[in-house]
Amino acid sequence: GGEHSLEERCEWIKESIPMTARKVDPTCVEHLARVVTEKRVTKGEFIAREGEPGTSMHFVIEGSCSATLHGRELERLLSGNCFGEIALLEACKSIQAGGVVDGANNRRVASVVALEDCLLYELGAESASKLLAMSPNLWSTLETMARRRRRRSSDEM
């Protein structure tokens, strides 16, 4: 559901950073567009909190957010950026190993707050694990992003 048509969602997703890093199959983009949920958040709202369980990732479509750790800004997230891939990948690994996904083992490594009213697409682990199995390129891209961000947040510790 939501206000964007499937075509519009495909366009937004295609332009987002994880999709442009390595070639991602158009059917994968379309599948992703079908399974994301649109989420509107208002300025000042927290989308993720450091240390809380998380099993989904978000794409920033409109607006901007700030990722912080211990109150210090790590990164400004603008349209086309995404966040939450670390928790998402961990959750997908649990699913693939036949485990349960409750987010208990997947803690958010940073907090993300909306700097203005935003539109996000949320991708949950259940949908993502099927998708990532279909698209090894997307999996590698998310792994690379997750590695970089893990390194950056440990530098901030």
Side-chain angles (χ1 to χ4, degrees), residues 27-47:
T27 52
C28 169
V29 172
E30 189 183 327
H31 185 82
L32 190 55
R34 286 179 192 283
V35 297
V36 293
T37 40
E38 289 181 28
K39 188 166 159 181
R40 288 217 167 262
V41 290
T42 51
K43 182 180 176 171
E45 199 177 319
F46 275 87
I47 304 135

Side-chain angles (χ1 to χ4, degrees), residues 12-23:
W12 277 110
I13 289 168
K14 235 185 359 233
E15 297 306 310
S16 71
I17 287 160
M19 298 297 153
T20 51
R22 288 185 180 83
K23 192 155 168 34

Side-chain angles (χ1 to χ4, degrees), residues 12-13 23 34-36 46 50-51 57 63 65 87 95 98-99 105 109 111 119 125 128 131 133 148-149 155-156:
W12 277 110
I13 289 168
K23 192 155 168 34
R34 286 179 192 283
V35 297
V36 293
F46 275 87
E50 190 183 317
M57 73 177 277
C65 305
I95 293 174
N105 312 318
V109 293
S111 297
L119 173 66
L131 185 70
R148 269 207 301 269
R149 285 195 169 139
D155 290 347
E156 295 284 324

Side-chain angles (χ1 to χ4, degrees), residues 53-143:
T55 58
S56 63
M57 73 177 277
H58 294 84
F59 294 85
V60 181
I61 304 303
E62 292 162 15
S64 58
C65 305
S66 170
T68 62
L69 185 63
H70 316 313
R72 299 229 324 268
E73 186 172 71
L74 289 177
E75 190 176 350
R76 194 55 65 96
L77 301 155
L78 309 170
S79 177
N81 281 118
C82 65
F83 59 90
E85 72 290 332
I86 297 176
L88 180 81
L89 289 169
E90 292 306 318
C92 288
K93 285 174 190 162
S94 317
I95 293 174
Q96 287 164 353
V100 189
V101 179
D102 55 3
N105 312 318
N106 316 309
R107 302 279 167 195
R108 296 279 183 203
V109 293
S111 297
V112 177
V113 64
L115 296 173
E116 53 192 313
D117 294 353
C118 296
L119 173 66
L120 308 170
Y121 289 166
E122 182 172 17
L123 174 64
E126 297 289 342
S127 312
S129 75
K130 297 187 188 77
L131 185 70
L132 294 172
M134 280 164 41
S135 178
N137 273 1
L138 181 54
W139 181 275
S140 332
T141 299
L142 294 180
E143 290 265 67

